[in-house]
mmCIF file of all heavy atoms in Angstrom:
data_model
loop_
_atom_site.group_PDB
_atom_site.id
_atom_site.type_symbol
_atom_site.label_atom_id
_atom_site.label_comp_id
_atom_site.label_asym_id
_atom_site.label_seq_id
_atom_site.Cartn_x
_atom_site.Cartn_y
_atom_site.Cartn_z
ATOM 1 N N GLY A 44 92.608 103.790 119.411
ATOM 2 C CA GLY A 44 94.037 103.784 119.125
ATOM 3 C C GLY A 44 94.631 102.395 119.026
ATOM 4 O O GLY A 44 95.845 102.239 118.860
ATOM 5 N N ASN A 56 90.330 99.567 91.590
ATOM 6 C CA ASN A 56 90.307 99.293 90.145
ATOM 7 C C ASN A 56 91.573 98.610 89.644
ATOM 8 O O ASN A 56 91.892 98.643 88.456
ATOM 9 C CB ASN A 56 90.063 100.584 89.350
ATOM 10 C CG ASN A 56 88.773 101.268 89.763
ATOM 11 O OD1 ASN A 56 87.745 100.622 89.925
ATOM 12 N ND2 ASN A 56 88.834 102.580 89.952
ATOM 13 N N THR A 57 92.339 98.033 90.565
ATOM 14 C CA THR A 57 93.474 97.191 90.184
ATOM 15 C C THR A 57 93.399 95.924 91.033
ATOM 16 O O THR A 57 92.565 95.818 91.933
ATOM 17 C CB THR A 57 94.832 97.876 90.448
ATOM 18 O OG1 THR A 57 95.109 97.845 91.857
ATOM 19 C CG2 THR A 57 94.850 99.303 89.954
ATOM 20 N N ASN A 78 99.538 105.639 87.805
ATOM 21 C CA ASN A 78 99.039 106.970 88.161
ATOM 22 C C ASN A 78 97.891 106.890 89.170
ATOM 23 O O ASN A 78 96.893 107.614 89.079
ATOM 24 C CB ASN A 78 98.563 107.726 86.907
ATOM 25 C CG ASN A 78 99.711 108.024 85.964
ATOM 26 O OD1 ASN A 78 100.794 108.412 86.388
ATOM 27 N ND2 ASN A 78 99.479 107.813 84.670
ATOM 28 N N PHE A 94 92.618 106.604 101.166
ATOM 29 C CA PHE A 94 93.643 107.562 101.552
ATOM 30 C C PHE A 94 94.395 107.995 100.298
ATOM 31 O O PHE A 94 94.646 107.172 99.410
ATOM 32 C CB PHE A 94 94.627 106.954 102.548
ATOM 33 C CG PHE A 94 94.006 106.539 103.848
ATOM 34 C CD1 PHE A 94 93.583 105.228 104.040
ATOM 35 C CD2 PHE A 94 93.825 107.452 104.877
ATOM 36 C CE1 PHE A 94 93.008 104.829 105.240
ATOM 37 C CE2 PHE A 94 93.250 107.066 106.082
ATOM 38 C CZ PHE A 94 92.840 105.753 106.261
ATOM 39 N N GLU A 111 82.275 101.102 111.721
ATOM 40 C CA GLU A 111 81.059 101.368 110.965
ATOM 41 C C GLU A 111 79.874 100.749 111.693
ATOM 42 O O GLU A 111 79.805 99.528 111.858
ATOM 43 C CB GLU A 111 81.158 100.787 109.555
ATOM 44 C CG GLU A 111 79.991 101.167 108.676
ATOM 45 C CD GLU A 111 80.228 100.779 107.230
ATOM 46 O OE1 GLU A 111 80.730 99.672 106.991
ATOM 47 O OE2 GLU A 111 79.899 101.586 106.349
ATOM 48 N N ILE A 128 71.287 79.426 105.375
ATOM 49 C CA ILE A 128 72.136 80.465 104.787
ATOM 50 C C ILE A 128 73.435 79.849 104.267
ATOM 51 O O ILE A 128 73.928 80.207 103.193
ATOM 52 C CB ILE A 128 72.446 81.560 105.827
ATOM 53 C CG1 ILE A 128 71.159 82.300 106.213
ATOM 54 C CG2 ILE A 128 73.476 82.540 105.294
ATOM 55 C CD1 ILE A 128 70.540 83.089 105.075
ATOM 56 N N ASN A 194 118.334 78.932 112.284
ATOM 57 C CA ASN A 194 119.190 78.996 113.459
ATOM 58 C C ASN A 194 119.437 77.565 113.942
ATOM 59 O O ASN A 194 118.822 77.095 114.888
ATOM 60 C CB ASN A 194 118.505 79.831 114.544
ATOM 61 C CG ASN A 194 119.479 80.240 115.629
ATOM 62 O OD1 ASN A 194 120.600 79.752 115.678
ATOM 63 N ND2 ASN A 194 119.053 81.135 116.484
ATOM 64 N N VAL A 203 111.880 70.288 113.668
ATOM 65 C CA VAL A 203 110.496 70.568 113.321
ATOM 66 C C VAL A 203 110.439 71.055 111.882
ATOM 67 O O VAL A 203 111.123 72.011 111.520
ATOM 68 C CB VAL A 203 109.914 71.654 114.252
ATOM 69 C CG1 VAL A 203 108.446 71.886 113.933
ATOM 70 C CG2 VAL A 203 110.075 71.244 115.690
ATOM 71 N N LYS A 219 86.626 76.514 97.723
ATOM 72 C CA LYS A 219 87.014 75.595 96.647
ATOM 73 C C LYS A 219 87.138 74.162 97.145
ATOM 74 O O LYS A 219 86.792 73.215 96.448
ATOM 75 C CB LYS A 219 88.345 76.033 96.009
ATOM 76 C CG LYS A 219 88.694 75.182 94.796
ATOM 77 C CD LYS A 219 89.900 75.679 94.057
ATOM 78 C CE LYS A 219 90.011 75.023 92.688
ATOM 79 N NZ LYS A 219 89.728 73.605 92.638
ATOM 80 N N VAL A 250 77.154 86.500 110.646
ATOM 81 C CA VAL A 250 78.194 85.711 111.296
ATOM 82 C C VAL A 250 77.520 84.428 111.781
ATOM 83 O O VAL A 250 76.606 84.466 112.610
ATOM 84 C CB VAL A 250 78.826 86.455 112.486
ATOM 85 C CG1 VAL A 250 79.932 85.595 113.106
ATOM 86 C CG2 VAL A 250 79.387 87.799 112.040
ATOM 87 N N ALA A 280 86.395 83.291 106.922
ATOM 88 C CA ALA A 280 86.187 82.163 107.833
ATOM 89 C C ALA A 280 87.292 82.163 108.876
ATOM 90 O O ALA A 280 88.452 82.450 108.567
ATOM 91 C CB ALA A 280 86.184 80.845 107.070
ATOM 92 N N MET A 302 110.203 57.156 117.572
ATOM 93 C CA MET A 302 109.671 56.356 118.678
ATOM 94 C C MET A 302 109.892 57.101 119.999
ATOM 95 O O MET A 302 110.921 57.726 120.203
ATOM 96 C CB MET A 302 110.391 55.002 118.729
ATOM 97 C CG MET A 302 109.991 54.048 117.609
ATOM 98 S SD MET A 302 108.298 53.448 117.788
ATOM 99 C CE MET A 302 108.485 52.401 119.226
ATOM 100 N N TYR A 313 93.028 79.277 112.409
ATOM 101 C CA TYR A 313 93.056 79.437 110.962
ATOM 102 C C TYR A 313 92.174 80.627 110.572
ATOM 103 O O TYR A 313 91.112 80.844 111.171
ATOM 104 C CB TYR A 313 92.510 78.194 110.260
ATOM 105 C CG TYR A 313 93.220 76.900 110.596
ATOM 106 C CD1 TYR A 313 92.858 76.153 111.715
ATOM 107 C CD2 TYR A 313 94.241 76.416 109.790
ATOM 108 C CE1 TYR A 313 93.499 74.961 112.026
ATOM 109 C CE2 TYR A 313 94.886 75.221 110.084
ATOM 110 C CZ TYR A 313 94.511 74.496 111.206
ATOM 111 O OH TYR A 313 95.146 73.319 111.513
ATOM 112 N N ASN A 347 108.001 73.446 123.591
ATOM 113 C CA ASN A 347 106.815 74.018 122.964
ATOM 114 C C ASN A 347 107.218 74.722 121.685
ATOM 115 O O ASN A 347 108.205 75.466 121.662
ATOM 116 C CB ASN A 347 106.138 75.019 123.921
ATOM 117 C CG ASN A 347 105.597 74.333 125.152
ATOM 118 O OD1 ASN A 347 104.829 73.384 125.046
ATOM 119 N ND2 ASN A 347 106.016 74.793 126.319
ATOM 120 N N ILE A 356 97.599 87.462 98.816
ATOM 121 C CA ILE A 356 97.565 87.607 97.366
ATOM 122 C C ILE A 356 97.809 89.077 97.042
ATOM 123 O O ILE A 356 97.060 89.954 97.490
ATOM 124 C CB ILE A 356 96.213 87.142 96.790
ATOM 125 C CG1 ILE A 356 95.930 85.694 97.221
ATOM 126 C CG2 ILE A 356 96.211 87.279 95.273
ATOM 127 C CD1 ILE A 356 96.989 84.694 96.846
ATOM 128 N N ASN A 369 105.253 70.359 85.151
ATOM 129 C CA ASN A 369 105.241 69.493 86.335
ATOM 130 C C ASN A 369 106.464 69.706 87.227
ATOM 131 O O ASN A 369 106.364 69.728 88.453
ATOM 132 C CB ASN A 369 105.156 68.030 85.905
ATOM 133 C CG ASN A 369 104.966 67.109 87.095
ATOM 134 O OD1 ASN A 369 104.023 67.254 87.869
ATOM 135 N ND2 ASN A 369 105.882 66.168 87.269
ATOM 136 N N SER A 412 120.333 86.605 109.739
ATOM 137 C CA SER A 412 120.834 87.103 108.457
ATOM 138 C C SER A 412 122.179 86.481 108.084
ATOM 139 O O SER A 412 122.488 86.287 106.915
ATOM 140 C CB SER A 412 120.961 88.630 108.490
ATOM 141 O OG SER A 412 121.876 89.024 109.504
#
Side-chain angles (χ1 to χ4, degrees):
N56 303 316
T57 75
N78 294 318
F94 298 95
E111 186 170 42
I128 295 295
N194 195 349
V203 183
K219 186 173 194 318
V250 181
M302 287 291 290
Y313 303 86
N347 295 306
I356 304 303
N369 187 57
S412 61

